[in-house]
């Protein structure tokens, strides 16, 4: 690892090793890929990065702390596969002279499709109906249709915008909230701008598409979840920490909201005793909304393209640059 140009310290579960992006990376210089568990340990992550100039970050369980940047003095770039950078101390990166870049938008359409899939799956109660039919039952309960319902969308980036488009195609009315307050963009997408409170009170479905930042952590609190309709369905394909954990569990347990479809959680992977697993009104998926062959291929290649551009002195998709 000491002489490697590029370190991929956290390829577990493995998607990078042996990929087209891996081959492209090798053309840039020696690339060392670690496909074992353990990148969540700071000392182990430091060891795996070693004296590499570039680290390609595959998984969010590898946390690039100030301690990592301080120890890995040769590190000049962290190229993230994906959009989220909440596992990276961005302030520390800038202070330590490290550029951080990501691959925004690559998985946007896949994640948007998954959000809609969760809406339909939860509203149509498909998992429960399937289980009951396999026991010989013939369930006849009422289901939820999307046509004529109101969807509330928080976040109007590429993912949120695509969700709005798909929801409109289903015949839904859409209320939207933009972190930037860009009402013109919302109207251009065919949605109606609304406040957080208006969305929570009026929407039949609420879907989160915000980045996790210090400002958005706990974006929906227990009190705000209490504003939602008892018949409302909550969808989260953003980040678990966007929602107050205990408040969400309480709302689902007590029937303050009808159900939820979740692809992201406060702790990943879920532990076997996580209380969310015991709730019958929740449909779960393991943070894999963007896991399609096309997304993986294109995202990994773009992460390496960012490395190429950095080495040429023309950084792309920069989240944070060194503080001068």
């Amino acid at each position: 690892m000491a002489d490697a140009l590029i370190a991929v310290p956290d390829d577990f579960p493995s998607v990078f090793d042996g990929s087209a992006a891996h081959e492209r990376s090798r053309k840039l210089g020696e690339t060392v890929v670690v496909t074992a568990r353990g990148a969540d340990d700071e000392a182990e992550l430091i060891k795996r990065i070693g004296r590499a100039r570039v680290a390609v970050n595959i998984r969010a369980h590898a946390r690039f702390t100030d301690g990592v940047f301080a120890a890995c003095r040769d590190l000049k770039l962290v190229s993230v596969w994906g959009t989220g950078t909440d596992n990276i101390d961005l302030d520390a990166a800038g202070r330590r002279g490290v550029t951080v870049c990501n691959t925004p938008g690559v998985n946007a359409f896949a994640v948007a499709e998954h959000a809609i899939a969760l809406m339909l799956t939860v509203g149509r109660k498909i998992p429960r109906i399937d289980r009951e039919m396999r026991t010989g039952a013939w369930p006849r309960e009422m289901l939820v249709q999307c046509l004529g319902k109101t969807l509330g969308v928080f976040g109007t980036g590429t993912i949120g915008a695509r969700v709005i488009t798909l929801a409109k195609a289903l015949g839904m009315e859409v209320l939207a909230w933009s972190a930037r307050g860009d009402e013109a963009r919302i109207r251009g997408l065919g949605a109606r701008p609304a406040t957080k409170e208006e969305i929570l009170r009026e929407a039949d479905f609420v879907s989160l598409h915000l980045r996790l930042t210090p400002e958005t952590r706990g974006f929906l609190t227990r009190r705000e979840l209490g504003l939602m309709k008892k018949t409302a369905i909550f969808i989260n394909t953003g980040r678990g920490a966007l929602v107050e954990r205990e408040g969400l569990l309480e709302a689902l347990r007590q029937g303050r909201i009808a159900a939820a479809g979740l692809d992201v959680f406060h702790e990943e992977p879920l532990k076997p005793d996580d209380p969310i697993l015991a709730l019958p009104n929740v449909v779960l998926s393991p943070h894999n909304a963007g896991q399609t062959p096309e997304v993986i291929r294109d995202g990994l290649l773009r992460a390496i393209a960012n490395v190429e551009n950095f080495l040429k002195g023309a950084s792309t998709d920069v989240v944070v640059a060194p503080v001068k």
Side-chain angles (χ1 to χ4, degrees), residues 84-320:
T85 55
D86 46 291
N87 62 312
I88 298 174
D89 187 333
L90 298 177
D91 289 338
R95 291 197 312 273
R96 301 283 183 181
V98 179
T99 297
V100 178
C101 57
N102 63 354
T103 58
V106 171
N107 68 348
F109 280 24
V111 174
E113 288 179 14
H114 199 84
I116 296 294
L118 285 173
M119 287 170 50
L120 293 169
T121 301
V122 176
R124 295 282 169 168
K125 306 178 184 178
I126 291 173
R128 187 168 75 193
I129 289 172
D130 177 82
R131 287 194 303 270
E132 292 177 1
M133 288 185 68
R134 291 172 191 274
T135 66
W138 193 253
R140 309 303 297 164
E141 58 189 295
M142 300 300 291
L143 309 178
V144 178
Q145 74 174 35
C146 290
L147 177 65
K149 296 297 191 301
T150 298
L151 168 65
V153 174
F154 288 105
T156 57
T158 310
I159 298 173
R162 182 62 174 172
V163 167
I164 291 171
T165 297
L166 295 175
K168 295 288 290 182
L170 291 172
M172 303 184 78
E173 298 294 325
V174 183
L175 306 179
W177 180 92
S178 165
R180 298 178 180 178
D182 193 346
E183 294 190 358
R185 173 173 170 78
I186 291 173
R187 292 191 181 93
L189 292 169
R192 175 165 65 88
T195 66
K196 181 192 289 191
E197 289 73 19
E198 286 172 338
I199 288 175
L200 294 173
R201 292 183 189 279
E202 297 180 30
D204 301 295
F205 294 84
V206 170
S207 193
L208 286 186
H209 304 286
L210 299 168
R211 290 186 182 182
L212 181 61
T213 66
E215 292 73 30
T216 61
R217 184 175 294 274
F219 179 77
L220 292 183
T221 65
R222 174 185 276 103
R223 182 194 71 81
E224 289 164 328
L225 290 167
L227 299 177
M228 294 173 64
K229 297 179 179 179
K230 287 189 175 182
T231 55
I233 293 172
F234 174 70
I235 305 296
N236 191 2
T237 55
R239 284 290 189 271
L242 292 170
V243 189
E244 183 184 339
R245 182 173 184 268
E246 292 304 318
L248 179 60
L249 288 170
E250 182 180 288
L252 289 164
R253 284 193 191 113
Q254 299 181 4
R256 295 181 184 177
I257 61 175
L262 307 175
D263 184 59
V264 289
F265 307 91
H266 289 77
E267 185 176 5
E268 297 178 4
L270 289 176
K271 292 181 178 178
D273 61 348
D274 194 297
I276 201 74
L277 296 172
L279 298 178
N281 55 344
V282 181
V283 173
L284 311 172
S285 60
H287 200 158
N288 69 341
Q291 292 287 103
T292 71
E294 298 86 354
V295 166
I296 292 172
R297 177 198 66 212
D298 295 346
L300 291 174
L301 286 170
R302 185 161 159 192
I304 297 304
N306 284 338
V307 176
E308 292 172 341
N309 293 333
F310 173 81
L311 295 175
K312 293 175 184 175
S315 298
T316 47
D317 294 325
V318 174
V319 177
V320 67

Side-chain angles (χ1 to χ4, degrees), residues 23-34:
E23 291 304 311
R24 189 165 167 179
S25 179
R26 283 172 169 158
K27 294 177 181 178
L28 299 174
E30 183 180 356
T31 301
V32 177
V33 183
V34 181

